[in-house]
Amino acid sequence: MFGSLYCTVRKIGAGLGLAIMVSTYTYAQQGGQTNPVCNNTDPGNNTGDLGCVTFTYKGEDVTYTTVRGSDGRIWLQQNLGSTKVADSFNDEDSYGDLFQWGRWDDGHQERNSPTSTATSPNSPAGLGGTNKYIIGSSTDSWWAGNAASDSWTATSSSEATSTIGTDPCKAIGQGWRLPTSAEWVTIVNNYSMNNPASAYASHLKLPAGGYRSNTTGGFTFVGQRGYFWSSDTASSGGKFLYVGGTIVTPTSGGARGQGESVRCTKDFTGGLGTADIAAKANAIAVYPNPTNGILTIKADSFIETVNVSNIAGQKVNVQFSDKQINMQGLPNGIYIVELKLKNGQSLSKKVVKN
C-alpha cells in the first residue's frame, strides 16, 4: 500500500535569489522506501513555474522537469538523455545525449555510440534501425544533401522518409516538438543571453554540453559551449542555438552530421492565450537598462519580493522603496533582477550597471 503523499519544492535559479516554486512531484512510500511520482501536470502560467512529464526514452520510463519560459511556452528544463536539471553550466549530469539532425532515439545519440559510414540511401529512409553515429567527409557525412525542403517533424520512425526525419521530442506526448529557430531567437532575447553563464541563469537552465564531430565522432567544447538543434534547415545543414564563450547566436547553421543537444518545447494549449501572455509581460518592467544605479519598476500589482544577484549567482544587497531599486553602491557590471508580484507575476531581467 502507498503511504501519504507530500508536495516538494524546488528553488528556481539556484543562487539567483529567486522565489521558491512548488513542483508537481508527490512522493509515494512503499516498502519503507520513498520514491518520486510525477503527476504529469504542466507548469502554471507564470514564468518559472515548474511541472513534470513522464515518457519513454531509450526503452525506459523517465521523468523530466518542465518549466514555463519567459516566452509563455512550456519547455523541458533538461536536455534529452540527461539525468537531472543543471546545477551549473558545466554540470556533466545535465549534458545529456547528442543527436544528429533529423535522427531520433535509436541509440546513435549516446555519447559512447559506435561510428559508421553513411547509409544508403543517406537519409532517414536508409537508417534501417542502425544505432551508429554516422561520420564522413563534408560530402558523405549524415544526410549531406542539405535540401531546404527537408524536415525534422515525423512522429515515429515508421513515418521517416528520404525528406522527413523523426522528431525525438514527439515521444514525450501530445504537443511536444523540437523548437524552431525563431523560438530560440525569442528565448535568447528575453533572457539577454551572451555566454554559458547567462544561458544557465535562464529558467531553461541550458548547460554547455559541447558537440560531436560529423567527420571524426570526437567531442569538442564539452563543458565550455552549448549547441542546441532547432527543427529548421540551413544551407549548411540544420540551424541551431550556439552558446559561445562571449556570444550567443540562435540562428547558427551546421552540418547535419554534427551531434548536438536536444531541448524540447510544448505548444501552449490552455489558460492564457498568446495575447494574454504578451499583455502580462508588458505589465511589469524595470528601466532604464543600462542604468547608472537607480532602477524604476513598472508594475500593476503590489511588489512582493525584489532580489538582485551578480552574474556569478551571488545575492547582493540593494535598497528598495517607492518602486525604485538603488544599485548605486554596487560595482559596475551585469546583474540579474528578480521580481515577484502579489498577483503571481514574476520577472527575471539582466540589467547592466554603468
Side-chain angles (χ1 to χ4, degrees), residues 62-229:
V62 296
T63 296
Y64 281 18
T65 301
T66 59
V67 66
R68 178 75 62 182
S70 61
D71 58 347
R73 306 184 62 78
I74 298 171
W75 293 78
L76 288 187
Q77 205 181 29
Q78 55 190 106
N79 294 343
L80 280 185
S82 64
T83 59
K84 61 192 284 288
V85 176
D87 287 331
S88 64
F89 73 81
N90 56 359
D91 179 359
E92 294 183 4
D93 292 333
S94 71
Y95 294 159
D97 295 329
L98 299 176
F99 285 78
Q100 294 184 299
W101 196 93
R103 297 188 68 175
W104 51 92
D105 174 17
D106 56 15
H108 85 282
Q109 74 275 15
E110 297 182 13
R111 291 181 178 245
N112 62 350
S113 64
T115 61
S116 178
T117 56
T119 59
S120 181
N122 186 5
S123 70
L127 285 175
T130 181
N131 65 348
K132 296 182 178 180
Y133 186 88
I134 297 171
I135 60 174
S137 68
S138 59
T139 57
D140 62 6
S141 63
W142 166 247
W143 205 359
N146 297 339
S149 57
D150 294 335
S151 65
W152 196 1
T153 57
T155 302
S156 66
S157 59
S158 62
E159 298 177 1
T161 69
S162 60
T163 61
I164 304 175
T166 300
D167 181 345
C169 296
K170 299 282 190 180
I172 301 175
Q174 182 68 34
W176 286 97
R177 58 173 175 79
L178 283 151
T180 65
S181 188
E183 286 160 353
W184 277 132
V185 169
T186 300
I187 285 293
V188 168
N189 290 339
N190 284 2
Y191 289 106
S192 302
M193 292 182 189
N194 57 14
N195 57 29
S198 56
Y200 163 73
S202 73
H203 291 105
L204 273 62
K205 299 296 178 191
L206 300 174
Y211 76 91
R212 192 173 185 183
S213 169
N214 62 300
T215 58
T216 68
F219 298 87
T220 304
F221 294 124
V222 176
Q224 301 174 55
R225 303 180 185 179
Y227 301 77
F228 301 86
W229 282 125

Side-chain angles (χ1 to χ4, degrees), residues 39-70:
N39 296 332
N40 284 301
T41 303
D42 284 343
N45 294 327
N46 296 311
T47 298
D49 283 353
L50 296 180
C52 64
V53 63
T54 297
F55 58 101
T56 301
Y57 186 70
K58 297 180 183 177
E60 297 182 356
D61 288 343
V62 296
T63 296
Y64 281 18
T65 301
T66 59
V67 66
R68 178 75 62 182
S70 61

